[in-house]
Structures are given as structure tokens and as C-alpha cells.
Amino acid sequence: MCGIAGILRLGTKPLPAPSVLRGMLGTIGFRGPDDTGEMLLDELQLGIVRLAIVDPKDGHQPIVGCDRGVVAACNGEIYNHDDLRERLILDGHRLRSHSDAEVLPHLYEAHGVDFVEKIRGMYGLAIWDHSRRKLVLVRDRLGIKPLFFAQTRDYLIFASEIKAIIASGLAHPRIDMDSIDDLFSLSYPCPPRTMFEGIREILPAHILVAHSDQAAITQRRYWNLEFAPSGEYRRIRYREAAEELRSLLRTSVYDHLKSDVPVGAYLSGGLDSSSICALVKEVVGDPPTTFSIAFDMPSHDESDYSREVARYLGGPSYTIDCDATLAREFERMIWHMELPLQFPLALPLMKLAELARSKGFPVVLTGEGADELMGGYDCFRAEKMRRMLDRPGLRFLRPIIYRQLYKWHSIPDGTVDMMIDNHRAADRVATQFGGVLPPWYDLWTTVGVDRDELLGLGGRRVRPVDEPPDGFEELLPDDLGRLHPLNAGIAIELVTRLPAWILAIGDRASMASGVEARVPLLDQRIVEFMAGLPPDMKMRGFREKAVLRTAMRDSLPVRISARPKRPFFTPVREWFFGPDAPDFVSDLLSRDVVKQYGIFDPDTVQRYRRELRLVPDGVLLKSRLEWTLILVLGTQALYRQFVDRRCLVAPSENW
């Protein structure tokens, strides 16, 4: 795991001094504290900061091929590198180390750009083909590892994090107002947009090719996840599917444990992370060292479950206690994330990575991915409920059933009315979004209480929530309308929220402390296997992740394997908008600073702050106000760091 950065000359203007590349690498040094490498040519400057995981002694990068005309730098891990190395050696290639990255230039020599079809792992990588003056940038299939770029008249600047591109001084940071509209609906910029104008991400499963003597760059997708159309699913019995999934999981966990340094695991006490930890014990014979989070607020705390699993497995376990003092790290979190968060999940995850690193574990396994592959979120159950209540003769029951659910689950007052309104509009909204109602549409409608007032400074048109963002449709599979509604929702999730939010948080939070977070559940073989299964193996009735529960039933405590999905949230109102909130909150949300930065209407922000204090608890409006204000706060912090001050060092508590 590493951080890469580089500058490609697109015309005749000379590249900047090497100190510019070194400054770029300096801003992301935390991603690779063990080694630094660079390659300086007339056409390209390529550098890397390395976290040494595989072959720590000899795995220096950038790394060259047989004729030294092909050079590679990789942020990530190639899990099938041993098999690839054996084949390359048989074909006459001379490999000098056992680093996983060394197979890359040799694969490129053998297969050209199609080398990417041979590799399996998580990666954001660069290949320089000197004879063709060609740069190839590649991102992994699911978007586990990041890779960004900006193009100017003279240069292509690329890096693992946006701050390195800004540090080059060649791309001037400005907030992208279209991304602000996305933020206050989707909760993240619609890929490939970022929060900054002119800085884009390379989409998952995409290759970018640029030549040093051409201004044009090209991009193409090299992999598509193919879901079986409705009624054309793989013919397999439920028990057989559970057994095959378990076998695939064991193989994936084995591959993800390959490392020359200690590997631990995150453990929340939920089904997903507990399954990974249990499989580690089965694969290697010993339980993993686990790292967990505890909150001082019972409404957010799951530590009883994580402790139960740790005792059941019998391995060493460590827990980080999180309370309101963690809010002081908010500005540092924004600096690492480069993205405001509606739910500041990265705060405890950053502390968790610090804990793992302090105990000598620079690699951890995590449970991300199961909810996205198997319909694990409440939004998937809500969509199934919508479809059931759309049947003839049942529509009159909508209000009755929704209000009964409100009583059972103590949903905030006002939520039911919002859900009923969204249900009535579902067909119209689905038509706008490729024929499928996006899984998180209910949540989208809760952010930005008065979007036009808050975001429409100077009469700027604000995109309505029910209108797709520019580029959204291009992300979706061509055959989305042929899929079962559950698979269609999962397909949307895998190309939007998973890479743009879930995996982005996981990468930045772990790498902030130089910890590599691996995600066995997102192994390509598991993802493709799940795409071919019938929907009722993913959700049986309203029971989410059914086939995973069956697969892991005999390896976990009953209370864990049967436990319903519980969202992972951090307190917002209590930490940021109560009487003990950090001083920077009042500063960044003050009328003068809001007016100075020019993104939000100052009067609307002040009104929200007053209303948040006055609206009683247990009302949806209270949650909507706090979620909106935390996004305003995060955007203000982002502007201060990267636009106003162009801060290239992580802010401290007293920044």
C-alpha cells in the first residue's frame, strides 16, 4: 500500500523542477512511511511513497521490466502475484524481487494494456511505456484504491490523493458547485467529479491512456460486472450456494492474509467483520488480533457484540473508546478525506487505524462490501416493501403499514409522511434514474432542508433531488431495466456509493496512519458469484444477507449470525452542535465566514442553527437540520484548508 504521484508533459513545455514532485509526495507521505522512490525523465516525473508490506527489503518502487523501458508504480496489492510470477519466469522474464508490484511491468511487456485483465487485487497504478511515450493509469475493478487526475494545457497531473495534485501548484483548487448539489443529495460528488473543479477521479475498472506528445487522453472500461437478468439466474440450490460462498470466502481470506508484516482485523460485532475474523481462524489455525470501537453513548455503541465475538474466537483484542472529544479531530478528518461527510464515520475509523498501527499491525482485514453485494441496508428492504404495497388491492394499506412500522421502530416523527410522499413519487423518480428508484433516495430527500435557499446564491440554479446529476446515467449498466429490482439496486450501489463513499472513507481513514485496509468480501470471484445468484438468496423475506448467514452459521455465536444489520453512525448533534462543541464550529459557521467563502447563504445557515436548538428531539426535522449543518461545516472546513489556505500539512487540534 502506497501513494503515487506524477506529472506527464503533454506538449513541449518542460516539466517543473523535481522539487514539485517531491512536494506532491510530501503531502501524502503518511500513506507510505517506509520508503520513497522517484523516476525523473524529460516527459514524465513519477514518484511513490511506500508502505512496505510484501518483500519490505527489496520491493522498492518505481520498478522496471526486463528492458528497463517499462516502469510501474502501484498503490495497492496484487493478490495473485505468486501465480503470475511463476508464469512470467517460465516465459523468460527476469524478476529481481518477490514484491507483488514487480509483476506489473513484466505483464505489460507481455500483454500490453490488456495486462490488467490478468491481475486480481486492489490498486491504483501507473505504467510508463518509454518506447511509445505512453502513460497508462489503472484503477481496480471495484474502486477500493483511489486515483485522481487533472489536465492542463501542458500537463497531466495524477496522484493517489487530491491534495498532492493541489500541492503541485499546476491545478488551482476551486470548489465545484455541481458537486455541492450532489453532496446535498447523494452525500458525495457524482463520479468522476470530486469536490474540486477540474480534478477528476479515474472510475473503477477504467484505464486512462495519455501520450507525452498529445493533448488528448482516452479512457475505457476494462471490466463489467454482469448480473443475471430476471429469471436467468444460476441454477443452484440454496445450501449449495452457501457452501460455495463459504469456500470462496476462505480462499479470499487466505489470499488477503499474504503479507510479510503482521495482519490484524477490524471487528464491529456485526455479521460481516465477525465472519472475516472467524474465517481467519479457520484458515491459519489461530484467531486474528482484532481492533474494535466503543462509544460512550449506548445508542451508538456495539462493543458488547465485538467483545462477545473476540471471546468466542479467543484472540487478542483491543478497543478504542470514542467520546465527544473526538470531534476536535474533525478538521484533520476533512483534510484526509478531501470530502465533507454527512455522517463523520472517518473520525472513529481514523482512531481505530492509529490503534492498529500502535500495536504493530500495518495491515488489517475489514468487512466492507457484504451489504452492497447482498442487499444488507434498510433501503433495500424499504424498496421491497414499496413493491409489495404496489400490488393491486394493497395500495390503500400503505399509510397504515408505514405508521405501524413507525410505532415498532421508533422512527422520528415526520419520517412516515416523507416515506409515503416518496412512495407516491417513486415511479416518476425511477423514470428519471434509468428505470430504477435509487436505493438511497429516501435519504437523499432528507439532506438540504431548503436547497434553493441554502445553495442558490446569486440566483444559481440548484439541481433538484429528483433530477439525476450530470454523468449519473453513464455510470449505470446498460441492461439495468432487465434486472430484478434488488439486483438493479445493488448494481447502482456498486458503481456509486460503494466506491465514492464507503471505500473512500475506508481508504483515507486507514491510510492516515499508514495502515493498509484489505476487503476480502470484495474479491472479484465473490462479487461475480453473488451477481449470478437469485435475489431470494440475498434477501429471504426481509432477512438481508441470507446466504452469508447460512454460510457462517456454524462459525459464529448464534446471536451474531442471526443479528440484524445495524448502521454504523457517529453522534452528530451531541458532538458538534451542543454546548461543548469545539470552537471551530462557531467560527466556520459564523455569518462572516460563511459569507466570505461564498458557498452557502449566510442567513439560511444561521436560521438552521437556531432551529436546531428549538426543534424537539424525536422529530425528523431535527435530524435533517443536523445532517445539513454537518455538511455545511465540512464544506467550510474543506474550503478553508484547500482553497483559502492551501494547507499541505494535516491540521492539528489547535490549527
Side-chain angles (χ1 to χ4, degrees):
M1 191 64 60
C2 312
I4 66 172
I7 307 170
L8 176 69
R9 192 180 74 188
L10 296 178
T12 58
K13 186 174 181 179
L15 289 170
S19 59
V20 173
L21 176 68
R22 291 162 192 159
M24 295 172 66
L25 293 172
T27 66
I28 56 173
F30 50 85
R31 293 187 69 96
D34 300 325
D35 190 18
T36 301
E38 62 184 36
M39 180 193 68
L40 304 175
L41 304 172
D42 290 340
E43 303 97 337
L44 176 71
Q45 296 175 352
L46 175 63
I48 185 166
V49 290
R50 180 174 178 237
L51 176 60
I53 302 299
V54 178
D55 197 355
K57 180 181 177 182
D58 296 322
H60 183 76
Q61 296 189 52
I63 198 160
V64 299
C66 288
D67 62 5
R68 307 188 71 83
V70 176
V71 184
C74 178
N75 164 35
E77 297 291 344
I78 310 301
Y79 295 122
N80 61 336
H81 67 94
D82 286 335
D83 292 339
L84 293 170
R85 174 179 284 102
E86 289 181 8
R87 296 174 198 168
L88 288 165
I89 292 173
L90 288 174
D91 290 340
H93 289 264
R94 302 181 305 277
L95 281 78
R96 304 171 182 83
S97 77
H98 291 278
S99 164
D100 60 318
E102 189 174 7
V103 302
L104 296 173
H106 296 275
L107 284 172
Y108 180 86
E109 289 172 341
H111 303 285
V113 175
D114 292 337
F115 82 96
V116 70
E117 298 175 7
K118 309 291 182 183
I119 61 177
R120 185 167 43 79
M122 56 179 187
Y123 44 83
L125 61 89
I127 299 278
W128 171 245
D129 182 341
H130 188 70
S131 65
R132 294 175 176 84
R133 300 295 191 268
K134 180 166 71 174
L135 175 70
V136 179
L137 302 178
V138 188
R139 193 169 175 206
D140 66 69
R141 291 168 175 82
L142 276 299
I144 303 169
K145 291 289 102 185
L147 191 53
F148 300 93
F149 72 97
Q151 184 179 6
T152 70
R153 183 180 63 183
D154 301 304
Y155 305 116
L156 178 73
I157 312 105
F158 59 93
S160 296
E161 297 195 13
I162 293 171
K163 58 181 63 68
I165 294 176
I166 294 174
S168 73
L170 302 173
H172 303 292
R174 293 184 297 272
I175 297 296
D176 187 325
M177 293 307 296
D178 287 337
S179 290
I180 293 290
D181 288 355
D182 297 346
L183 186 68
F184 284 80
S185 52
L186 313 184
S187 302
Y188 49 83
C190 180
R193 276 194 296 279
T194 71
M195 292 300 299
F196 301 94
E197 286 184 10
I199 301 177
R200 297 289 183 261
E201 65 171 289
I202 295 177
L203 291 173
H206 275 68
I207 299 171
L208 182 151
V209 176
H211 293 81
S212 64
D213 57 352
Q214 300 175 15
I217 62 173
T218 61
Q219 294 190 66
R220 70 171 177 88
R221 174 179 283 275
Y222 65 86
W223 176 80
N224 282 290
L225 179 60
E226 296 183 0
F227 284 83
S230 290
E232 299 179 19
Y233 311 112
R234 178 181 173 186
R235 295 183 179 274
I236 186 171
R237 291 186 175 90
Y238 181 72
R239 173 58 65 177
E240 293 172 349
E243 291 174 355
E244 186 169 345
L245 175 60
R246 184 181 178 83
S247 176
L248 289 170
L249 284 168
R250 284 174 58 92
T251 301
S252 178
V253 167
Y254 175 80
D255 287 345
H256 283 69
L257 285 170
K258 293 177 180 177
S259 170
D260 293 326
V261 298
V263 180
Y266 287 167
L267 176 61
S268 70
L271 173 67
D272 311 339
S273 63
S274 300
S275 296
I276 297 301
C277 293
L279 288 166
V280 170
K281 183 176 181 178
E282 292 183 18
V283 167
V284 302
D286 294 311
T289 298
T290 59
F291 301 93
S292 304
I293 293 169
F295 287 102
D296 64 347
M297 296 179 61
S299 58
H300 293 76
D301 186 50
E302 299 181 79
S303 57
D304 281 349
Y305 295 102
S306 60
R307 281 193 290 267
E308 179 179 352
V309 176
R311 287 194 299 267
Y312 182 84
L313 296 177
S317 61
Y318 299 92
T319 299
I320 188 76
D321 295 315
C322 298
D323 57 25
T325 59
L326 199 56
R328 300 171 188 166
E329 299 288 322
F330 181 82
E331 291 174 292
R332 189 169 75 91
M333 180 200 78
I334 294 295
W335 188 86
H336 279 289
M337 284 299 307
E338 304 166 339
L339 174 69
L341 297 179
Q342 179 181 352
F343 307 105
L345 312 181
L347 281 172
L349 291 176
M350 287 170 65
K351 301 301 288 186
L352 195 63
E354 288 179 18
L355 175 64
R357 185 79 193 194
S358 71
K359 298 300 180 181
F361 288 85
V363 180
V364 294
L365 305 189
T366 80
E368 276 98 352
D371 293 312
E372 289 75 18
L373 292 177
M374 307 179 199
Y377 294 115
D378 287 342
C379 61
F380 293 109
R381 288 193 289 272
E383 173 56 22
K384 187 168 187 176
M385 175 69 73
R386 283 193 183 99
R387 286 187 276 113
M388 289 178 59
L389 295 179
D390 273 341
R391 295 173 181 172
L394 293 180
R395 291 171 185 168
F396 76 96
L397 291 175
R398 290 177 191 167
I400 299 171
I401 291 176
Y402 279 135
R403 296 190 192 286
Q404 186 60 50
L405 288 173
Y406 159 69
K407 293 179 181 178
W408 287 342
H409 295 284
S410 301
I411 298 172
D413 189 20
T415 306
V416 171
D417 293 330
M418 180 199 73
M419 293 176 67
I420 292 173
D421 289 343
N422 289 344
H423 192 147
R424 292 184 182 126
D427 290 343
R428 175 182 57 79
V429 175
T431 301
Q432 294 277 87
F433 285 85
V436 177
L437 186 71
W440 293 92
Y441 184 74
D442 282 337
L443 181 64
W444 295 359
T445 62
T446 65
V447 186
V449 182
D450 299 301
R451 289 169 61 83
D452 288 335
E453 291 184 21
L454 180 66
L455 309 178
L457 281 179
R460 185 183 76 88
R461 180 186 181 272
V462 179
R463 178 183 60 78
V465 176
D466 59 1
E467 177 184 306
D470 288 342
F472 188 90
E473 189 172 350
E474 285 75 13
L475 298 173
L476 306 181
D478 294 336
D479 61 348
L480 195 65
R482 298 179 59 211
L483 304 184
H484 182 280
L486 176 60
N487 280 344
I490 290 172
I492 293 174
E493 184 81 348
L494 292 177
V495 295
T496 56
R497 187 175 179 271
L498 175 66
W501 206 73
I502 295 292
L503 295 175
I505 292 173
D507 173 80
R508 302 311 190 284
S510 61
M511 292 307 294
S513 293
V515 171
E516 175 177 290
R518 299 179 175 180
V519 282
L521 283 159
L522 291 179
D523 182 275
Q524 178 185 346
R525 296 162 296 188
I526 294 173
V527 172
E528 292 174 342
F529 171 76
M530 291 305 307
L533 290 186
D536 63 0
M537 292 189 182
K538 303 167 190 177
M539 184 181 293
R540 296 182 76 108
F542 286 95
R543 190 68 157 166
E544 85 284 356
K545 294 180 287 194
V547 69
L548 178 62
R549 294 181 187 281
T550 301
M552 298 303 303
R553 185 169 54 197
D554 297 332
S555 300
L556 295 170
V558 173
R559 191 167 79 121
I560 302 301
S561 62
R563 184 185 173 205
K565 167 69 181 178
R566 176 175 175 176
F568 174 57
F569 290 130
T570 54
V572 174
R573 181 171 65 255
E574 297 84 355
W575 284 10
F576 296 96
F577 304 118
D580 299 322
D583 292 339
F584 68 79
V585 175
S586 294
D587 176 29
L588 287 170
L589 295 183
S590 68
R591 180 184 298 276
D592 289 344
V593 175
V594 172
K595 183 177 181 180
Q596 176 189 347
Y597 291 174
I599 302 170
F600 306 106
D601 177 67
D603 293 335
T604 305
V605 172
Q606 304 316 310
R607 175 164 63 84
Y608 286 177
R609 297 178 69 189
R610 292 192 299 271
E611 289 180 359
L612 183 61
R613 293 191 293 268
L614 298 174
V615 173
D617 293 341
V619 176
L620 177 62
L621 179 58
K622 190 95 169 180
S623 297
R624 296 183 71 184
L625 288 166
E626 67 177 79
W627 294 339
T628 300
L629 282 172
I630 197 68
L631 284 175
V632 172
L633 180 67
T635 305
Q636 291 286 101
L638 187 81
Y639 185 98
R640 172 170 289 181
Q641 293 169 12
F642 293 109
V643 180
D644 186 19
R645 300 187 182 179
R646 301 196 185 181
C647 180
L648 303 181
V649 179
S652 65
E653 181 180 327
N654 298 316
W655 184 60

